[in-house]
């Protein structure tokens, strides 16, 4: 082999792999944690109150609802699917919880049970349409985004419904604290930990990754793809309903639209930024939660600095594009329609 041919076949240097405890954390998560530290330091240097405990709690409470949706979005994406309707599901559940609360004589448990029941049914409906209707998940849940928002507007006439401001259960959900942390944050921790353990240490989790990684191989291995996909959407619907209940608790009434707009984009951005491959088979709850914290810190920092909320949406959309580009480069994928 000549020197010329050796040069023409130059190969990329092998990536240095992490070892020991760092390998368990993962390079993606370390990058996110580093980015979060830089972001906190930057905004902390610009505003004396940004790193105060009070503001940290504000950030944590603000990301609770989007964090819950991002956790279940992670499960759906690992399955190789997508749920664009989670924001509308949360909005509808918020309305249902407040209306059921009012109609049951101010019974908060009736309100929450009704919302969770509706969320579970919607989630199963999404899964059935995709599995048995053979509709692309993106199209099916895009239709759900419009349909569930429409139902919420129809039953509420597009206005806030019911008032839970004086109910002790909803007050506890919105303002209560356990060991110094808001109850809402504890709820996110419990849900995230449960899903993480399920994905990492159970056969269910291993099958979810297998389905997203290679559905044909998973089917040949005897895994019931339909059951798992419907279950993933049922989980998404149920947790979206919990997010809707928290939305009602925070705002004091059922919110058909205002509080739930953009939650679907936030959940997808967090999952993608946290390391989920949009083609499925890869991702984790730790990365998603770090991305949720990073997005919350960015949004709060921009708000504290008086930046227009429109620019916050631009920043969030840009982060989603960056996350997808990074994922495609890592996996060697190319965008649809582009030449190889």
């Amino acid at each position: 082999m000549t020197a010329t041919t050796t040069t023409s076949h130059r190969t990329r240097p092998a990536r240095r792999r992490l070892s020991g405890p760092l390998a368990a954390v993962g390079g993606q998560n370390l990058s996110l944690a580093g980015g979060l530290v830089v972001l906190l330091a930057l905004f902390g240097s610009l505003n004396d109150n940004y790193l105060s405990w009070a503001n940290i709690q504000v950030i944590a409470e603000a990301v609770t609802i989007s964090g819950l949706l991002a956790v279940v979005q992670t499960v759906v994406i690992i399955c190789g699917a997508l749920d664009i309707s989670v924001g509308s599901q949360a909005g509808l559940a918020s309305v249902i919880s407040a209306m059921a609360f009012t109609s049951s004589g101010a019974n908060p448990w009736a309100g929450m049970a009704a919302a969770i029941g509706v969320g579970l049914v919607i989630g199963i409906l999404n899964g059935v349409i995709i599995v048995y209707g053979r509709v692309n998940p993106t199209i099916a849940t895009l239709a759900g985004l419009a349909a569930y928002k429409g139902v919420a507007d129809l039953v509420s006439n597009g206005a806030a419904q019911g008032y839970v401001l004086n109910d002790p259960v909803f007050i506890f959900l919105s303002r209560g604290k356990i060991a110094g942390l808001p109850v809402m944050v504890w709820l996110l921790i419990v849900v995230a930990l449960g899903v993480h353990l399920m994905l990492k240490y159970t056969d269910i989790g291993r099958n979810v990754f297998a389905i997203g990684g290679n559905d044909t191989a998973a089917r040949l291995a005897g895994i019931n793809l339909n059951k798992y996909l419907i279950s993933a959407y049922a989980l998404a619907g149920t947790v979206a309903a919990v997010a809707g209940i928290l939305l009602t608790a925070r705002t004091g009434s059922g919110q058909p639209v205002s509080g739930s707009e953009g939650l679907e984009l936030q959940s997808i951005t967090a999952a993608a930024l946290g390391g989920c491959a949009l083609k499925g088979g890869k991702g984790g709850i730790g990365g998603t939660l770090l991305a949720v914290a990073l997005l919350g810190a960015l949004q709060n920092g921009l708000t504290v600095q008086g930046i227009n909320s429109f620019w916050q949406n631009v920043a969030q959309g840009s982060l989603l594009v960056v996350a997808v580009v990074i994922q495609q480069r890592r996996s060697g994928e190319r965008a649809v329609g582009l030449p190889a």
Side-chain angles (χ1 to χ4, degrees), residues 6-60:
T6 301
T7 302
S8 63
H9 288 82
R10 188 181 301 162
T11 58
R12 292 181 180 177
R15 289 183 178 175
R16 185 178 298 173
R17 295 185 179 278
L18 298 173
S19 60
L22 293 180
V25 177
Q28 176 92 14
N29 292 354
L30 286 176
S31 300
L32 285 169
L36 179 59
V37 170
V38 170
L39 207 59
L40 292 173
L42 173 64
F43 285 118
S45 67
L46 296 174
N47 190 296
D48 292 338
N49 295 322
Y50 181 74
L51 291 178
S52 66
W53 177 239
N55 194 52
I56 295 295
Q57 288 190 81
V58 168
I59 295 174

Short mmCIF file of all heavy atoms in Angstrom, two decimals, residues 6-60:
data_model
loop_
_atom_site.label_atom_id
_atom_site.label_comp_id
_atom_site.label_asym_id
_atom_site.label_seq_id
_atom_site.Cartn_x
_atom_site.Cartn_y
_atom_site.Cartn_z
N THR A 6 -2.75 5.38 1.55
CA THR A 6 -2.95 5.40 3.00
C THR A 6 -3.59 6.70 3.43
O THR A 6 -4.51 6.74 4.25
CB THR A 6 -1.60 5.24 3.71
OG1 THR A 6 -1.02 4.03 3.32
CG2 THR A 6 -1.79 5.24 5.22
N THR A 7 -3.15 7.82 2.83
CA THR A 7 -3.69 9.12 3.18
C THR A 7 -5.14 9.26 2.76
O THR A 7 -5.99 9.79 3.47
CB THR A 7 -2.86 10.24 2.51
OG1 THR A 7 -1.53 10.10 2.92
CG2 THR A 7 -3.40 11.61 2.88
N SER A 8 -5.48 8.70 1.52
CA SER A 8 -6.83 8.85 1.01
C SER A 8 -7.84 8.07 1.84
O SER A 8 -9.03 8.35 1.81
CB SER A 8 -6.90 8.39 -0.45
OG SER A 8 -6.60 7.02 -0.49
N HIS A 9 -7.38 7.03 2.56
CA HIS A 9 -8.31 6.23 3.36
C HIS A 9 -8.21 6.60 4.84
O HIS A 9 -8.36 5.77 5.72
CB HIS A 9 -8.02 4.73 3.18
CG HIS A 9 -8.44 4.24 1.84
ND1 HIS A 9 -7.66 4.40 0.72
CD2 HIS A 9 -9.58 3.62 1.45
CE1 HIS A 9 -8.28 3.87 -0.33
NE2 HIS A 9 -9.44 3.39 0.08
N ARG A 10 -7.93 7.88 5.09
CA ARG A 10 -7.81 8.33 6.47
C ARG A 10 -9.15 8.12 7.19
O ARG A 10 -10.20 8.42 6.66
CB ARG A 10 -7.44 9.80 6.48
CG ARG A 10 -7.11 10.34 7.85
CD ARG A 10 -6.78 11.82 7.74
NE ARG A 10 -5.66 12.00 6.84
CZ ARG A 10 -5.37 13.18 6.30
NH1 ARG A 10 -6.14 14.22 6.52
NH2 ARG A 10 -4.33 13.30 5.51
N THR A 11 -9.09 7.59 8.35
CA THR A 11 -10.32 7.31 9.10
C THR A 11 -10.44 8.25 10.29
O THR A 11 -9.44 8.79 10.77
CB THR A 11 -10.34 5.86 9.61
OG1 THR A 11 -9.20 5.65 10.41
CG2 THR A 11 -10.35 4.89 8.45
N ARG A 12 -11.68 8.43 10.76
CA ARG A 12 -11.91 9.26 11.92
C ARG A 12 -11.32 8.62 13.17
O ARG A 12 -11.38 7.40 13.32
CB ARG A 12 -13.41 9.46 12.16
CG ARG A 12 -14.08 10.29 11.09
CD ARG A 12 -15.53 10.44 11.45
NE ARG A 12 -16.22 11.24 10.44
CZ ARG A 12 -17.52 11.49 10.48
NH1 ARG A 12 -18.25 11.02 11.46
NH2 ARG A 12 -18.07 12.22 9.54
N PRO A 13 -10.72 9.42 14.04
CA PRO A 13 -10.21 8.83 15.29
C PRO A 13 -11.35 8.30 16.13
O PRO A 13 -12.45 8.86 16.16
CB PRO A 13 -9.54 10.03 15.99
CG PRO A 13 -10.18 11.24 15.39
CD PRO A 13 -10.51 10.86 13.98
N ALA A 14 -11.10 7.17 16.79
CA ALA A 14 -12.14 6.56 17.62
C ALA A 14 -12.49 7.49 18.78
O ALA A 14 -11.63 8.16 19.34
CB ALA A 14 -11.65 5.21 18.16
N ARG A 15 -13.82 7.56 19.08
CA ARG A 15 -14.24 8.39 20.20
C ARG A 15 -13.76 7.81 21.52
O ARG A 15 -13.80 6.60 21.73
CB ARG A 15 -15.77 8.49 20.23
CG ARG A 15 -16.31 9.32 19.10
CD ARG A 15 -17.81 9.43 19.23
NE ARG A 15 -18.35 10.26 18.19
CZ ARG A 15 -19.65 10.46 18.00
NH1 ARG A 15 -20.50 9.85 18.78
NH2 ARG A 15 -20.07 11.24 17.04
N ARG A 16 -13.29 8.70 22.36
CA ARG A 16 -12.84 8.26 23.67
C ARG A 16 -14.05 7.89 24.52
O ARG A 16 -14.97 8.68 24.67
CB ARG A 16 -12.04 9.36 24.35
CG ARG A 16 -11.44 8.95 25.68
CD ARG A 16 -10.63 10.07 26.27
NE ARG A 16 -9.52 10.40 25.39
CZ ARG A 16 -8.72 11.45 25.60
NH1 ARG A 16 -8.93 12.25 26.62
NH2 ARG A 16 -7.74 11.71 24.77
N ARG A 17 -14.05 6.67 25.03
CA ARG A 17 -15.19 6.21 25.83
C ARG A 17 -14.97 6.50 27.30
O ARG A 17 -13.85 6.41 27.81
CB ARG A 17 -15.42 4.72 25.61
CG ARG A 17 -15.84 4.38 24.19
CD ARG A 17 -16.16 2.92 24.06
NE ARG A 17 -16.59 2.59 22.72
CZ ARG A 17 -17.82 2.76 22.27
NH1 ARG A 17 -18.72 3.26 23.06
NH2 ARG A 17 -18.13 2.44 21.04
N LEU A 18 -16.06 6.83 27.99
CA LEU A 18 -15.98 7.06 29.41
C LEU A 18 -15.87 5.72 30.13
O LEU A 18 -16.29 4.69 29.62
CB LEU A 18 -17.23 7.80 29.89
CG LEU A 18 -17.44 9.19 29.30
CD1 LEU A 18 -18.80 9.72 29.73
CD2 LEU A 18 -16.35 10.14 29.75
N SER A 19 -15.28 5.76 31.29
CA SER A 19 -15.15 4.53 32.07
C SER A 19 -15.51 4.82 33.53
O SER A 19 -15.57 5.97 33.95
CB SER A 19 -13.72 3.98 31.98
OG SER A 19 -12.81 4.94 32.47
N GLY A 20 -15.74 3.75 34.29
CA GLY A 20 -16.03 3.89 35.71
C GLY A 20 -17.36 4.56 35.96
O GLY A 20 -18.31 4.42 35.18
N PRO A 21 -17.44 5.36 37.04
CA PRO A 21 -18.71 6.02 37.39
C PRO A 21 -19.22 6.96 36.31
O PRO A 21 -20.42 7.13 36.13
CB PRO A 21 -18.34 6.81 38.67
CG PRO A 21 -17.15 6.11 39.23
CD PRO A 21 -16.40 5.60 38.04
N LEU A 22 -18.27 7.59 35.58
CA LEU A 22 -18.69 8.52 34.52
C LEU A 22 -19.45 7.79 33.41
O LEU A 22 -20.36 8.35 32.80
CB LEU A 22 -17.47 9.24 33.93
CG LEU A 22 -16.74 10.21 34.86
CD1 LEU A 22 -15.56 10.84 34.14
CD2 LEU A 22 -17.70 11.30 35.35
N ALA A 23 -19.04 6.53 33.15
CA ALA A 23 -19.73 5.76 32.11
C ALA A 23 -21.17 5.50 32.50
O ALA A 23 -22.08 5.49 31.66
CB ALA A 23 -19.00 4.45 31.87
N ALA A 24 -21.41 5.30 33.80
CA ALA A 24 -22.78 5.05 34.28
C ALA A 24 -23.65 6.28 34.08
O ALA A 24 -24.84 6.19 33.79
CB ALA A 24 -22.75 4.63 35.74
N VAL A 25 -23.05 7.47 34.27
CA VAL A 25 -23.81 8.70 34.10
C VAL A 25 -24.08 8.97 32.63
O VAL A 25 -25.18 9.37 32.24
CB VAL A 25 -23.03 9.88 34.73
CG1 VAL A 25 -23.76 11.19 34.50
CG2 VAL A 25 -22.84 9.64 36.22
N GLY A 26 -23.06 8.75 31.77
CA GLY A 26 -23.24 8.95 30.35
C GLY A 26 -22.76 10.32 29.90
O GLY A 26 -22.94 11.32 30.59
N GLY A 27 -22.12 10.35 28.71
CA GLY A 27 -21.59 11.61 28.19
C GLY A 27 -22.66 12.63 27.93
O GLY A 27 -22.47 13.84 28.16
N GLN A 28 -23.83 12.18 27.42
CA GLN A 28 -24.93 13.10 27.13
C GLN A 28 -25.38 13.80 28.40
O GLN A 28 -25.58 15.01 28.43
CB GLN A 28 -26.10 12.32 26.53
CG GLN A 28 -27.34 13.14 26.27
CD GLN A 28 -27.37 13.70 24.86
OE1 GLN A 28 -26.61 13.26 24.01
NE2 GLN A 28 -28.25 14.64 24.61
N ASN A 29 -25.53 13.04 29.48
CA ASN A 29 -25.99 13.63 30.73
C ASN A 29 -24.94 14.57 31.32
O ASN A 29 -25.28 15.60 31.90
CB ASN A 29 -26.32 12.53 31.74
CG ASN A 29 -27.53 11.73 31.34
OD1 ASN A 29 -28.20 12.07 30.35
ND2 ASN A 29 -27.83 10.67 32.06
N LEU A 30 -23.66 14.22 31.17
CA LEU A 30 -22.61 15.11 31.66
C LEU A 30 -22.62 16.43 30.89
O LEU A 30 -22.42 17.50 31.48
CB LEU A 30 -21.24 14.43 31.50
CG LEU A 30 -20.94 13.30 32.50
CD1 LEU A 30 -19.60 12.65 32.15
CD2 LEU A 30 -20.90 13.83 33.93
N SER A 31 -22.85 16.35 29.59
CA SER A 31 -22.93 17.58 28.78
C SER A 31 -24.10 18.44 29.23
O SER A 31 -23.98 19.67 29.34
CB SER A 31 -23.09 17.23 27.29
OG SER A 31 -21.99 16.47 26.84
N LEU A 32 -25.25 17.81 29.49
CA LEU A 32 -26.42 18.56 29.94
C LEU A 32 -26.17 19.18 31.31
O LEU A 32 -26.53 20.34 31.55
CB LEU A 32 -27.64 17.64 30.00
CG LEU A 32 -28.27 17.26 28.66
CD1 LEU A 32 -29.29 16.14 28.87
CD2 LEU A 32 -28.94 18.47 28.03
N ALA A 33 -25.56 18.41 32.21
CA ALA A 33 -25.28 18.93 33.55
C ALA A 33 -24.30 20.11 33.46
O ALA A 33 -24.46 21.13 34.15
CB ALA A 33 -24.69 17.82 34.43
N GLY A 34 -23.29 19.98 32.59
CA GLY A 34 -22.35 21.08 32.39
C GLY A 34 -23.05 22.31 31.83
O GLY A 34 -22.80 23.45 32.27
N GLY A 35 -23.93 22.09 30.85
CA GLY A 35 -24.68 23.22 30.28
C GLY A 35 -25.56 23.89 31.31
O GLY A 35 -25.70 25.12 31.33
N LEU A 36 -26.17 23.08 32.19
CA LEU A 36 -27.03 23.64 33.23
C LEU A 36 -26.23 24.49 34.20
O LEU A 36 -26.66 25.59 34.59
CB LEU A 36 -27.73 22.49 33.98
CG LEU A 36 -28.66 22.87 35.13
CD1 LEU A 36 -29.79 23.77 34.64
CD2 LEU A 36 -29.22 21.62 35.80
N VAL A 37 -25.03 24.00 34.59
CA VAL A 37 -24.17 24.77 35.50
C VAL A 37 -23.76 26.09 34.88
O VAL A 37 -23.79 27.15 35.52
CB VAL A 37 -22.92 23.93 35.89
CG1 VAL A 37 -21.91 24.80 36.63
CG2 VAL A 37 -23.32 22.74 36.74
N VAL A 38 -23.39 26.05 33.60
CA VAL A 38 -22.98 27.28 32.90
C VAL A 38 -24.14 28.27 32.84
O VAL A 38 -23.98 29.47 33.07
CB VAL A 38 -22.49 26.94 31.47
CG1 VAL A 38 -22.31 28.21 30.64
CG2 VAL A 38 -21.19 26.16 31.53
N LEU A 39 -25.33 27.73 32.56
CA LEU A 39 -26.52 28.59 32.45
C LEU A 39 -26.84 29.25 33.80
O LEU A 39 -27.13 30.45 33.87
CB LEU A 39 -27.70 27.74 31.99
CG LEU A 39 -28.83 28.44 31.23
CD1 LEU A 39 -28.30 29.10 29.97
CD2 LEU A 39 -29.92 27.44 30.88
N LEU A 40 -26.78 28.44 34.87
CA LEU A 40 -27.04 28.99 36.21
C LEU A 40 -26.01 30.05 36.58
O LEU A 40 -26.35 31.10 37.15
CB LEU A 40 -27.03 27.85 37.24
CG LEU A 40 -28.17 26.82 37.15
CD1 LEU A 40 -27.93 25.67 38.12
CD2 LEU A 40 -29.52 27.49 37.45
N ALA A 41 -24.74 29.78 36.26
CA ALA A 41 -23.68 30.75 36.57
C ALA A 41 -23.87 32.04 35.78
O ALA A 41 -23.68 33.15 36.30
CB ALA A 41 -22.32 30.13 36.28
N LEU A 42 -24.26 31.89 34.51
CA LEU A 42 -24.44 33.07 33.65
C LEU A 42 -25.56 33.96 34.17
O LEU A 42 -25.36 35.16 34.40
CB LEU A 42 -24.75 32.61 32.22
CG LEU A 42 -25.14 33.73 31.23
CD1 LEU A 42 -23.97 34.70 31.04
CD2 LEU A 42 -25.57 33.14 29.90
N PHE A 43 -26.74 33.37 34.37
CA PHE A 43 -27.87 34.19 34.83
C PHE A 43 -27.68 34.64 36.28
O PHE A 43 -28.15 35.70 36.67
CB PHE A 43 -29.18 33.42 34.69
CG PHE A 43 -29.66 33.34 33.27
CD1 PHE A 43 -29.80 32.10 32.65
CD2 PHE A 43 -29.98 34.48 32.54
CE1 PHE A 43 -30.23 32.00 31.34
CE2 PHE A 43 -30.42 34.38 31.23
CZ PHE A 43 -30.54 33.15 30.62
N GLY A 44 -26.95 33.82 37.08
CA GLY A 44 -26.66 34.22 38.45
C GLY A 44 -25.77 35.44 38.51
O GLY A 44 -25.89 36.28 39.41
N SER A 45 -24.86 35.56 37.54
CA SER A 45 -23.98 36.73 37.51
C SER A 45 -24.71 37.98 37.02
O SER A 45 -24.29 39.10 37.29
CB SER A 45 -22.78 36.45 36.59
OG SER A 45 -23.22 36.33 35.23
N LEU A 46 -25.82 37.78 36.31
CA LEU A 46 -26.58 38.92 35.78
C LEU A 46 -27.65 39.40 36.75
O LEU A 46 -28.11 40.55 36.65
CB LEU A 46 -27.25 38.52 34.45
CG LEU A 46 -26.31 38.17 33.29
CD1 LEU A 46 -27.11 37.66 32.10
CD2 LEU A 46 -25.50 39.41 32.88
N ASN A 47 -28.08 38.49 37.65
CA ASN A 47 -29.15 38.86 38.59
C ASN A 47 -28.86 38.24 39.95
O ASN A 47 -28.69 37.03 40.06
CB ASN A 47 -30.50 38.38 38.04
CG ASN A 47 -31.66 38.94 38.84
OD1 ASN A 47 -31.81 38.65 40.03
ND2 ASN A 47 -32.49 39.76 38.20
N ASP A 48 -28.83 39.07 40.98
CA ASP A 48 -28.46 38.60 42.32
C ASP A 48 -29.47 37.61 42.89
O ASP A 48 -29.11 36.77 43.72
CB ASP A 48 -28.34 39.79 43.27
CG ASP A 48 -27.16 40.68 42.91
OD1 ASP A 48 -26.24 40.17 42.24
OD2 ASP A 48 -27.17 41.87 43.27
N ASN A 49 -30.72 37.71 42.48
CA ASN A 49 -31.77 36.85 43.06
C ASN A 49 -31.97 35.54 42.29
O ASN A 49 -32.74 34.69 42.73
CB ASN A 49 -33.10 37.60 43.10
CG ASN A 49 -33.05 38.78 44.04
OD1 ASN A 49 -32.43 38.70 45.10
ND2 ASN A 49 -33.67 39.89 43.66
N TYR A 50 -31.28 35.41 41.16
CA TYR A 50 -31.56 34.25 40.30
C TYR A 50 -31.24 32.92 41.00
O TYR A 50 -31.98 31.95 40.87
CB TYR A 50 -30.75 34.35 39.00
CG TYR A 50 -30.98 33.21 38.06
CD1 TYR A 50 -32.16 33.13 37.33
CD2 TYR A 50 -30.04 32.20 37.91
CE1 TYR A 50 -32.39 32.07 36.46
CE2 TYR A 50 -30.24 31.14 37.06
CZ TYR A 50 -31.42 31.08 36.34
OH TYR A 50 -31.64 30.02 35.49
N LEU A 51 -30.12 32.89 41.75
CA LEU A 51 -29.72 31.64 42.41
C LEU A 51 -30.23 31.54 43.84
O LEU A 51 -29.78 30.67 44.60
CB LEU A 51 -28.18 31.52 42.39
CG LEU A 51 -27.56 31.29 41.02
CD1 LEU A 51 -26.05 31.24 41.12
CD2 LEU A 51 -28.10 30.02 40.38
N SER A 52 -31.16 32.40 44.23
CA SER A 52 -31.73 32.30 45.57
C SER A 52 -32.60 31.04 45.67
O SER A 52 -33.12 30.55 44.67
CB SER A 52 -32.58 33.54 45.87
OG SER A 52 -33.71 33.58 45.02
N TRP A 53 -32.73 30.51 46.90
CA TRP A 53 -33.53 29.30 47.10
C TRP A 53 -34.97 29.51 46.66
O TRP A 53 -35.60 28.61 46.10
CB TRP A 53 -33.46 28.89 48.57
CG TRP A 53 -34.31 27.70 48.92
CD1 TRP A 53 -35.31 27.64 49.82
CD2 TRP A 53 -34.21 26.37 48.34
NE1 TRP A 53 -35.86 26.38 49.86
CE2 TRP A 53 -35.21 25.57 48.97
CE3 TRP A 53 -33.39 25.80 47.37
CZ2 TRP A 53 -35.40 24.24 48.64
CZ3 TRP A 53 -33.59 24.46 47.04
CH2 TRP A 53 -34.57 23.70 47.67
N ALA A 54 -35.48 30.72 46.89
CA ALA A 54 -36.86 31.01 46.49
C ALA A 54 -37.02 30.90 44.98
O ALA A 54 -38.00 30.31 44.48
CB ALA A 54 -37.25 32.41 46.96
N ASN A 55 -36.04 31.42 44.22
CA ASN A 55 -36.16 31.35 42.76
C ASN A 55 -35.92 29.94 42.24
O ASN A 55 -36.53 29.52 41.25
CB ASN A 55 -35.19 32.32 42.10
CG ASN A 55 -35.50 32.53 40.63
OD1 ASN A 55 -36.64 32.85 40.27
ND2 ASN A 55 -34.52 32.33 39.76
N ILE A 56 -35.02 29.20 42.90
CA ILE A 56 -34.80 27.80 42.50
C ILE A 56 -36.11 27.00 42.65
O ILE A 56 -36.46 26.17 41.80
CB ILE A 56 -33.69 27.15 43.36
CG1 ILE A 56 -32.34 27.84 43.07
CG2 ILE A 56 -33.60 25.66 43.08
CD1 ILE A 56 -31.82 27.66 41.68
N GLN A 57 -36.86 27.28 43.73
CA GLN A 57 -38.14 26.60 43.93
C GLN A 57 -39.15 27.02 42.86
O GLN A 57 -39.96 26.21 42.39
CB GLN A 57 -38.70 26.91 45.31
CG GLN A 57 -37.94 26.23 46.43
CD GLN A 57 -38.66 26.37 47.77
OE1 GLN A 57 -39.58 25.62 48.06
NE2 GLN A 57 -38.24 27.33 48.57
N VAL A 58 -39.09 28.28 42.47
CA VAL A 58 -39.98 28.76 41.40
C VAL A 58 -39.69 27.99 40.10
O VAL A 58 -40.61 27.54 39.40
CB VAL A 58 -39.79 30.28 41.17
CG1 VAL A 58 -40.48 30.71 39.88
CG2 VAL A 58 -40.36 31.06 42.35
N ILE A 59 -38.40 27.83 39.79
CA ILE A 59 -38.03 27.08 38.58
C ILE A 59 -38.52 25.64 38.68
O ILE A 59 -39.09 25.09 37.72
CB ILE A 59 -36.50 27.12 38.38
CG1 ILE A 59 -36.02 28.55 38.12
CG2 ILE A 59 -36.09 26.22 37.22
CD1 ILE A 59 -34.50 28.70 38.06
N ALA A 60 -38.29 25.02 39.85
CA ALA A 60 -38.68 23.61 40.02
C ALA A 60 -40.19 23.43 39.87
O ALA A 60 -40.66 22.49 39.21
CB ALA A 60 -38.22 23.12 41.39
#
